[in-house]
């Protein structure tokens, strides 16, 4: 993994080494570390007005479309420069885990859970 991170572009490498991630940093790291995120089929998605003209818009819009990050329904903003909260990071990782699990298999650590919340 260290070899892969060293070969990333500078902004992504710096994001991987930060102590506190922003929402955009988290989306970018998931984009670079998990090929399934880049290759996932997305049929619908939410557009956030504050993401469209960013350098990292592909990673952030993919994270929004896959439900890894939320968009404020009133303002249509994703606040990509805000620090990611522990709850939002947990939700992102749980959705990623759900996306990567083999079809038809249960996730042992989620036994008894009613599912991953969508909001």
């Amino acid at each position: 993994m260290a070899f892969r991170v060293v070969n990333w572009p500078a902004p992504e490498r710096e994001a991987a080494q930060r102590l506190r991630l922003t929402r955009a940093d988290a989306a970018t790291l998931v984009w670079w570390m998990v090929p399934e995120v880049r290759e996932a089929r997305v049929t619908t998605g939410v557009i956030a007005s504050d993401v469209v003209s960013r350098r990292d818009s592909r990673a952030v819009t993919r994270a929004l479309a896959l439900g890894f990050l939320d968009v404020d329904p009133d303002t249509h903003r994703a606040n990509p420069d805000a620090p990611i909260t522990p709850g939002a990071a947990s939700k992102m990782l749980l959705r990623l885990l759900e996306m990567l699990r083999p079809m038809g298999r249960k996730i042992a650590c989620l036994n008894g859970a009613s599912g991953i919340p969508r909001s």
Side-chain angles (χ1 to χ4, degrees):
M1 183 58 112
F3 174 77
R4 286 176 57 187
V5 171
V6 168
N7 289 310
W8 287 352
E12 285 79 4
R13 189 173 54 249
E14 291 166 8
Q17 296 169 343
R18 283 192 189 110
L19 294 177
R20 184 152 177 115
L21 292 177
T22 64
R23 293 165 55 88
D25 290 340
T28 301
L29 291 177
V30 170
W31 170 272
W32 278 92
M33 291 191 305
V34 185
E36 291 85 352
V37 170
R38 293 187 302 274
E39 298 164 1
R41 203 159 167 70
V42 177
T43 56
T44 61
V46 179
I47 300 296
S49 61
D50 56 348
V51 172
V52 175
S53 63
R54 294 175 59 93
R55 178 194 64 80
D56 55 2
S57 66
R58 288 180 63 196
V60 178
T61 55
R62 179 56 60 108
L64 294 172
L66 292 174
F68 293 163
L69 297 173
D70 293 330
V71 175
D72 185 329
D74 296 328
T75 63
H76 301 283
R77 296 177 65 84
N79 298 320
D81 293 322
I84 191 163
T85 63
S90 298
K91 188 170 21 173
M92 176 184 274
L93 292 175
L94 284 172
R95 289 191 180 150
L96 181 63
L97 179 64
E98 183 71 22
M99 185 178 102
L100 297 176
R101 75 177 169 85
M103 294 300 282
R105 294 192 54 199
K106 295 258 185 205
I107 301 170
C109 65
L110 296 179
N111 283 346
S114 62
I116 298 169
R118 295 295 299 169
S119 63

